[in-house]
Amino acid sequence: KLVEVNNNDSNKKSNPLVQQALDGLKSLGYKASELSSITSQLNSLQLNSVDEYLKEGLKLLVKLKGI
């Protein structure tokens, strides 16, 4: 019996607000590897705007860098 393993998150519904926030953080110069480490945390939040996701993303990235 063959089982297909899919490692990307395309099966999960992607929150468009989170995606826009990640695009914004990327345009600020954050690396894809840094952003991938916070993506699941951002997706777990229930926020109402891109601005809120950007703020939370920046907070998570600061914690990640230990600043």
Side-chain angles (χ1 to χ4, degrees), residues 6-65:
N6 188 354
N7 287 335
N8 68 21
D9 292 338
S10 63
N11 292 339
K12 296 179 184 177
K13 282 193 172 181
S14 179
N15 184 335
L17 296 178
V18 171
Q19 193 56 51
Q20 289 178 24
L22 290 170
D23 289 343
L25 293 168
K26 187 174 182 181
S27 70
L28 289 174
Y30 288 97
K31 297 176 185 168
S33 59
E34 294 171 312
L35 299 178
S36 66
S37 65
I38 66 164
T39 300
S40 63
Q41 293 170 323
L42 287 177
N43 277 320
S44 69
L45 300 174
Q46 299 296 317
L47 303 176
N48 297 316
S49 70
V50 175
D51 289 345
E52 291 175 343
Y53 281 108
L54 277 169
K55 289 176 189 175
E56 291 303 316
L58 287 168
K59 289 178 190 177
L60 291 168
L61 288 164
V62 166
K63 286 181 186 177
L64 181 70
K65 291 189 175 210

